[in-house]
Amino acid sequence: MNRLWTTVTIILLLLVFIGYMVFDLALKKNPAKVTSISEADSVIKDNWIVTKIFEPGKGRLNAVTVTGDGKILIGGESFIACYDSGFILQWEYKSSMPVSALTFSQNKVYAVTGNLIEVINMVGEKTEEWGPYGDRSLITSISSNDTFVALADAAGKLIYILDKEGVVKHIIGQSEEPFIIPSSYFDVVLGDDNTVYAANTGKRRIEKRNIEGSLIDFFGEEGTAPGAFCGCCNPAHFAVVPGGFITAEKGINRIKTLNVQGDFIEAVSFSNSFTPSIPLDLASIDGSVIFAANPADSKLYLFKRK
């Protein structure tokens, strides 16, 4: 009897093994198709190409801004450097702390260093120092026009509007329509008409507000579609250009252009090897050339439309 059960057990094990081998062979011949987000994005072809990669060689690169006459300003690991349009160094300034954000207006550079703002003239000399603003502020973005300077504070979830002396004139986000900022990505752009554009990253959208902070309009939604913002804290960076916006995301590291209503226009860079979790800081004057500072490899990328 024991021999019989042993024989039956062996036969059953053989049948199970043969069944597994047949199933495994079928899978190898007809593997299941798994479509990743990157594969889905690859269907959307990039309409821009990288025309130049510039490596300053000064340490970690965090920020970029450009002037109306074509000068390129970059900042990072305790430095600000100014180049002409041919990337010839014009001047360099050594900051006491790493520079996390830059803006330019009226021949002045405004640089975020820690929780302070350093004001630099266009020969590379510091003329003023402002701040700090808030007890535990984390300034992640700065923008300026002829009248005001805007600071985005990710820790306080506030935007400070300063005059050109560094005096606070408005604080946006204190009461109605507060910002939801889950991480240290919080971008702001101040328009020439004093319109404030802010990335409300917890809601995956860009908001349009007046200088006092009242919400005027917004666009954006969560998702993996080309025009949507996927994952947490997007858009991480953006720039306002004639005709719309340029946005950069993290998680899925992609750069794209949108029209003034926030509708997707085209992919600048979806098929890339950038570090997914580290978005690129963006700058552009007219939307025809995009400057993108990559903290992951400390290189500046120039994009132009194909």
Side-chain angles (χ1 to χ4, degrees):
M1 189 68 176
N2 289 337
R3 289 184 179 179
L4 177 60
W5 280 114
T6 302
T7 303
V8 171
T9 302
I10 292 172
I11 292 171
L12 288 174
L13 290 173
L14 285 172
L15 288 173
V16 170
F17 178 74
I18 292 169
Y20 171 79
M21 293 298 293
V22 171
F23 179 72
D24 185 58
L25 182 62
L27 283 180
K28 289 180 179 178
K29 288 183 177 179
N30 300 288
K33 176 62 177 175
V34 178
T35 302
S36 67
I37 291 173
S38 60
E39 287 173 335
D41 277 346
S42 68
V43 176
I44 307 297
K45 301 299 182 183
D46 293 346
N47 288 335
W48 295 60
I49 58 172
V50 176
T51 59
K52 185 178 182 65
I53 301 175
F54 176 65
E55 188 170 5
K58 301 179 185 300
R60 181 181 169 95
L61 176 62
N62 294 324
V64 59
T65 191
V66 290
T67 70
D69 61 355
K71 290 186 175 61
I72 305 154
L73 294 153
I74 59 173
E77 192 175 332
S78 304
F79 76 91
I80 301 169
C82 177
Y83 297 85
D84 65 15
S85 57
F87 286 89
I88 304 300
L89 182 65
Q90 303 298 292
W91 53 261
E92 184 175 354
Y93 169 78
K94 295 292 186 181
S95 59
S96 57
M97 295 183 65
V99 175
S100 57
L102 289 171
T103 189
F104 171 86
S105 65
Q106 294 184 317
N107 290 319
K108 289 184 179 180
V109 182
Y110 301 89
V112 177
T113 57
N115 60 359
L116 301 175
I117 309 302
E118 297 189 42
V119 184
I120 315 297
N121 63 25
M122 282 306 285
V123 294
E125 300 168 335
K126 183 167 79 171
T127 60
E128 298 175 72
E129 184 175 282
W130 303 343
Y133 300 95
D135 294 335
R136 296 180 179 86
S137 60
L138 176 62
I139 307 302
T140 55
S141 180
I142 186 169
S143 182
S144 61
N145 61 16
D146 290 347
T147 309
F148 295 109
V149 176
L151 308 178
D153 175 8
K157 300 176 176 58
L158 301 170
I159 291 176
Y160 294 88
I161 304 297
L162 319 176
D163 65 16
K164 287 304 183 77
E165 304 299 320
V167 178
V168 176
K169 294 300 181 181
H170 306 284
I171 301 178
I172 302 174
Q174 285 184 307
S175 54
E176 71 284 349
E177 299 293 345
F179 297 108
I180 300 175
I181 309 298
S183 72
S184 59
Y185 291 99
F186 185 21
D187 227 10
V188 63
V189 174
L190 185 58
D192 292 336
D193 60 353
N194 291 336
T195 299
V196 179
Y197 299 92
N200 197 339
T201 57
K203 294 186 176 182
R204 304 345 182 257
R205 70 190 196 188
I206 292 177
E207 297 180 347
K208 179 180 179 181
R209 300 188 183 222
N210 64 23
I211 200 72
E212 289 83 20
S214 297
L215 183 65
I216 300 170
D217 199 2
F218 65 86
F219 66 83
E221 61 181 359
E222 181 181 3
T224 59
F229 300 118
C230 180
C232 170
C233 320
N234 280 315
H237 297 296
F238 72 95
V240 178
V241 294
F245 303 83
I246 305 164
T247 66
E249 298 164 70
K250 72 181 190 72
I252 307 175
N253 198 326
R254 58 187 186 180
I255 302 170
K256 61 197 177 193
T257 63
L258 311 172
N259 64 18
V260 291
Q261 290 79 34
D263 301 319
F264 176 76
I265 299 177
E266 59 188 4
V268 175
S269 179
F270 278 25
S271 302
N272 58 60
S273 58
F274 299 139
T275 302
S277 61
I278 303 178
L280 280 65
D281 189 40
L282 302 174
S284 181
I285 290 294
D286 56 8
S288 62
V289 179
I290 299 171
F291 298 83
N294 187 359
D297 61 10
S298 296
K299 296 176 183 178
L300 184 68
Y301 291 78
L302 271 67
F303 292 92
K304 290 185 179 180
R305 188 176 281 104
K306 290 181 181 178

